[in-house]
Amino acid sequence: MGVAPQTDLHYELAGQGPPVVLLHEGIADSRMWEPQWRTFPPQHRVVRYDMRGFGESPAATGSFSHARDLIDLLERLALGPAALVGVSMGGAVALDVTIGRPDLVSALVLVGSGLRGHEFSAESEAGWAEEEAALERGDLDAAVELNLRMWVDGPHRSPEEVDPDVRQRVGEMQRRAFELWQSGDHEATLEPLDPDWQTRLGEIRVPTLIVVGELDRPEMHEIADRLETEIPNTRRAVIEGTAHVPSMERPAEFDELVLGFLAATQEPA
């Protein structure tokens, strides 16, 4: 398992078999996939990477695109069509790429997926405003804790009800993202492949698994509803007792669900 050098994004490859790319969420980086880094490679050729502005990848500058970065990575690695497993922001990136470059995607797993243009509640908007205020005054501790409360704990649990190790690990990854943001270009602009890709969900033809944590924010359940309705050939599953990071909180259940889905939808390499 080594880090390949031919792109400026940090990524790792492991295993043999049908290709799978793991896309992290916006409160984390590729380290969130540590449990799956043990269980997926025996069955798959697996890639995990840090998106621009996260983990060991460089900070975002100018106009950039997570979707274009992923396309570049897939083409550089010559993986052929790969299954994309994306959580939250990673799910939105996976959708953008699947709609824009369907030749590169064999299956989709969307976990608490984001959806461009979805309207969030006043409570969520207030949480993001608090985060922004904390960052503006340089209080990274407060900004990290706000994100842990919103996403790792979720709206139905107190911090004391969540595995402290999961909170600590997500906190470290979120802090790293904030540090990169502080050191980078605050005017950097994220560009999708297609600014209206959310209106084209019905074009998706690959098998799709939609996963949501039972205790996740209501908006994530609303998005899952829409994805299930508009994307053909979907399955939906709920992982109980977890919010926005089910692959970390319930790795055994997550692995059984996702690996089973991939085994049923992918041809052997």
Side-chain angles (χ1 to χ4, degrees), residues 23-30 32-33 51 54 86-91 111-112 151-152 170 216 244-248:
L23 291 84
H24 64 80
E25 57 191 293
I27 59 170
D29 54 46
S30 64
M32 72 168 285
W33 298 113
M51 295 187 212
F54 295 87
V87 186
S88 194
M89 177 186 71
V111 186
W151 298 109
V152 179
V170 175
D216 208 342
H244 206 53
V245 289
S247 63
M248 297 178 70

Side-chain angles (χ1 to χ4, degrees), residues 235-256:
R235 280 184 52 197
R236 180 168 174 176
V238 175
I239 298 182
E240 296 183 357
T242 183
H244 206 53
V245 289
S247 63
M248 297 178 70
E249 282 201 90
R250 298 287 187 271
E253 295 170 45
F254 180 89
D255 293 353
E256 180 179 10

